[in-house]
Amino acid sequence: MGVEPKQLHVVFFPFMAHGHMIPTLDIARMFVAHEGVKTTIITTPRNAPTFTKAIEKTIKSGASSINIELFNFPAQEAGLPEGCENLEQALGPGTMDKFFKAAAMLRNQLEQFLEKTRPNCLVADMFFTWSTDSAAKFNIPRLVFHGHSFFALCALEIIRVYEPYNNVSTDMEPFILPLLPHEIELTRSQLAPDLWKYKESEYKKRNFAIKESELKRFGVIVNSFYELEPEYADFYRQKLGRRAWHIGPVSLYNRNIEEKIQRGKQVSIDEHECLKWFNSKKFNSVIYICFGSTIHMIPPQLQEIAMGLEASGKDFIWVVKNDDDLGGFEDRIKGKGLIIRGWAPQILILEHDAVGAFMTHCGWNSTLEAISNGVPMITWPMFAEQFYNEKFVTQILRIGVPVGAKRYTTAPSLEDVVNQHDIEKALREIMEGNTADGRRYRAKEFKKLARKALEEGGSSSSDLSALINELRCLST
Ligand code: UDP
């Protein structure tokens, strides 16, 4: 008789933002697929539905090892309106720091929970820098999850240490990121202003705390696969000395249609209606446009996108917010375009053969979901590490075309508006001609590699098994 593997309890503590919660749920499901592993996901009451609906299905399928633990989110104590529990509601200037303050107040609840349950491992978001010390109090190893690619992790660290933005005199003058395997240029305008404008800022303090907690912690989980960015996976481990396990693309772990439509918020379109619309479209002909969970485009920008789309003559699916006013556009484009108001079943769309390109804000989840489905991208970064992801997609993987976004902003204004001609040009460039074919070919190759990485014996699946084995050894 074989020996039963030792039971493991892994606790996940994702930041309260969809781009962090969605991949965390995928990762938890990957963990519980291993025998003898149970997990708990910590969240707040208003964020709980993101997890509970999907977990109900997991329970029905017999794998009932994901539990949810609710912490009260002290919004009002931190000066936020009551009910503000998701970063999406707190992106305005000044509000974001309050949100981080409220998040830091979760420390006591976390420590009480760890003391009571004594799990074998805590996987906490990068923003919970203090959780390394909380876990250490109870001798629990802490893993960090940033939700970034290896490339972005390396680039962010190189920028933090070498401050190459000090070598230029204007915001638009490019500087090179030293030491990286490729020659990558950025401008100050593409970085968070708090990083380079001020000697001291909450942002800089946070960055420093993230690095400090990184060095003390047990290691890092990365949503990527080795074959996508081998030089940067090696650089991160060997040159930057970090312990890391790559286990992605985690979105590929959603195998059936129910899992695919239950990621994040309630989808705003019936999946059958969506698939029916696709059926009338040719292979690789539709452009999918979606800017993630947090970005609100201002009306003049919506107008420019609408006109650029119309002028390009391409078929499209465009995800907008519920209250976005598109003028008479919706009536004009009947048949050519599908507008989704609210939340789209993104991975179901990206995996459809009719999709030929993705116009994206370059959030890492969206970027990797496109890569996993072999879809070339029009890159339109705005904030966080999105400008790094644009460089990675357009210059290293060479499967993207930049729309020409120039300035880091969490709240786009008139000066950020990309005009219809640039949009139309990017739409044509990504879809037409030999260069477009080359991009598409490379994208399809990455799709195959992504899927292989998750197969038994593949690089991501092996790294996850190695991590689980190491945690089992530690807990004996
Ligand atoms: N997403 C989705 N439907 C939408 C918008 C977003 O399913 O209408 C999902 C998308 O598939 C991805 C996540 O939400 O998994 C967004 O994460 P990303 O890192 O791309 O961007 P963020 O929202 O963090 O800016």
Side-chain angles (χ1 to χ4, degrees):
M1 247 171 58
V3 181
E4 291 271 311
K6 192 176 156 41
Q7 279 285 331
L8 266 193
H9 180 200
V10 182
V11 172
F12 291 89
F13 189 17
F15 202 66
M16 290 69 65
H18 281 94
H20 297 238
M21 299 190 296
I22 292 173
T24 298
L25 178 58
D26 293 337
I27 296 172
R29 287 169 54 228
M30 292 168 80
F31 269 78
V32 299
H34 285 248
E35 210 186 325
V37 181
K38 69 169 187 170
T39 60
T40 301
I41 300 176
I42 299 170
T43 191
T44 70
R46 284 175 195 255
N47 288 304
T50 297
F51 302 103
T52 44
K53 272 209 110 184
I55 287 167
E56 271 167 31
K57 300 284 171 206
T58 319
I59 292 171
K60 275 188 203 144
S61 71
S64 63
S65 334
I66 304 180
N67 298 306
I68 302 293
E69 176 73 18
L70 295 183
F71 284 4
N72 291 323
F73 192 71
Q76 282 175 305
E77 284 170 50
L80 294 164
E82 202 209 328
C84 175
E85 293 187 10
N86 193 295
L87 187 64
E88 192 179 319
Q89 301 159 285
L91 282 177
T95 329
M96 203 131 91
D97 287 338
K98 288 183 190 159
F99 195 83
F100 281 105
K101 195 172 149 200
M105 291 181 192
L106 299 174
R107 184 169 186 161
N108 273 346
Q109 291 180 77
L110 178 71
E111 292 186 4
Q112 281 164 16
F113 177 75
L114 294 177
E115 184 167 25
K116 190 176 78 191
T117 50
R118 305 277 172 165
N120 304 100
C121 176
L122 172 70
V123 182
D125 203 277
M126 65 168 173
F127 288 129
F128 299 124
T129 48
W130 39 269
S131 68
T132 306
D133 291 338
S134 300
K137 271 193 186 173
F138 308 103
N139 237 343
I140 298 165
R142 183 234 170 167
L143 285 160
V144 75
F145 179 59
H146 304 80
H148 295 335
S149 64
F150 278 114
F151 170 75
L153 287 169
C154 295
L156 284 160
E157 181 62 357
I158 288 295
I159 292 231
R160 199 191 60 77
V161 174
Y162 294 96
E163 304 185 343
Y165 47 78
N166 287 334
N167 305 336
V168 289
S169 45
T170 69
D171 300 355
M172 299 314 257
E173 193 182 326
F175 56 83
I176 292 179
L177 303 192
L179 301 177
L180 292 183
H182 296 84
E183 194 171 298
I184 300 295
E185 287 184 342
L186 281 170
T187 60
R188 281 179 190 170
S189 69
Q190 297 170 318
L191 305 179
D194 283 357
L195 182 67
W196 55 270
K197 258 192 185 158
Y198 315 106
K199 259 218 131 28
E200 291 217 355
S201 67
E202 283 303 313
Y203 182 94
K204 275 193 165 178
K205 279 190 214 153
R206 227 169 16 242
N207 260 1
F208 184 72
I210 289 173
K211 191 224 76 182
E212 288 287 287
S213 87
E214 268 181 25
L215 293 176
K216 282 193 279 176
R217 77 209 162 183
F218 183 65
V220 183
I221 288 184
V222 184
N223 180 15
S224 185
F225 56 104
Y226 186 79
E227 295 74 13
L228 182 69
E229 40 177 352
E231 296 102 325
Y232 294 94
D234 292 345
F235 191 94
Y236 191 60
R237 290 175 171 123
Q238 290 156 19
K239 297 269 173 19
L240 299 179
R242 307 295 207 263
R243 297 194 78 206
W245 290 270
H246 57 269
I247 62 167
V250 300
S251 69
L252 286 182
Y253 204 73
N254 297 281
R255 301 239 160 86
N256 62 47
I257 194 156
E258 274 181 340
E259 289 170 346
K260 287 175 191 167
I261 60 175
Q262 258 155 11
R263 293 180 88 236
K265 303 183 195 176
Q266 181 71 36
V267 294
S268 320
I269 184 167
D270 178 70
E271 72 270 17
H272 304 293
E273 190 193 325
C274 191
L275 293 174
K276 201 172 124 207
W277 184 86
F278 266 131
N279 287 342
S280 61
K281 303 297 169 194
K282 289 200 200 98
F283 195 57
N284 288 340
S285 70
V286 176
I287 296 166
Y288 169 59
I289 303 151
C290 179
F291 301 107
S293 60
T294 63
I295 288 164
H296 271 236
M297 290 291 194
I298 54 173
Q301 184 63 80
L302 294 169
Q303 286 306 319
E304 295 297 319
I305 297 176
M307 288 187 287
L309 276 170
E310 222 171 349
S312 78
K314 310 283 178 219
D315 289 345
F316 62 89
I317 298 187
W318 183 12
V319 189
V320 297
K321 302 290 176 221
N322 282 320
D323 50 358
D324 282 346
D325 180 6
L326 302 182
F329 185 63
E330 265 159 302
D331 298 327
R332 288 205 305 277
I333 46 84
K334 277 228 161 78
K336 280 216 88 54
L338 181 67
I339 306 278
I340 299 181
R341 289 188 170 271
W343 194 256
Q346 178 155 306
I347 50 176
L348 203 65
I349 293 175
L350 283 173
E351 72 180 16
H352 200 284
D353 284 348
V355 171
F358 179 17
M359 184 183 268
T360 171
H361 71 306
C362 301
W364 181 242
N365 294 295
S366 294
T367 306
L368 192 57
E369 288 159 17
I371 292 169
S372 318
N373 289 295
V375 180
M377 285 163 261
I378 296 175
T379 55
W380 190 328
M382 295 188 205
F383 66 98
E385 80 320 347
Q386 295 157 13
F387 281 95
Y388 301 79
N389 296 341
E390 170 176 73
K391 295 285 169 184
F392 181 60
V393 166
T394 57
Q395 294 181 11
I396 298 177
L397 302 182
R398 298 189 300 125
I399 57 169
V401 170
V403 82
K406 296 202 168 46
R407 197 177 75 103
Y408 185 106
T409 173
T410 52
S413 64
L414 268 183
E415 65 173 306
D416 302 303
V417 169
V418 177
N419 75 53
Q420 55 178 299
H421 305 295
D422 290 343
I423 295 171
E424 182 192 345
K425 186 165 159 271
L427 290 167
R428 290 190 186 284
E429 209 176 323
I430 201 76
M431 297 295 268
E432 297 168 5
N434 289 345
T435 340
D437 291 343
R439 268 185 229 109
R440 193 173 310 288
Y441 174 80
R442 283 189 290 280
K444 301 278 181 219
E445 291 299 302
F446 286 124
K447 170 181 175 174
K448 287 185 213 154
L449 293 173
R451 278 145 209 269
K452 267 207 181 132
L454 281 186
E455 281 169 13
E456 209 182 322
S459 65
S460 290
S461 134
S462 303
D463 239 23
L464 177 59
S465 300
L467 170 59
I468 290 177
N469 285 340
E470 190 162 340
L471 292 175
R472 279 204 170 104
C473 289
L474 270 184
S475 65
T476 44

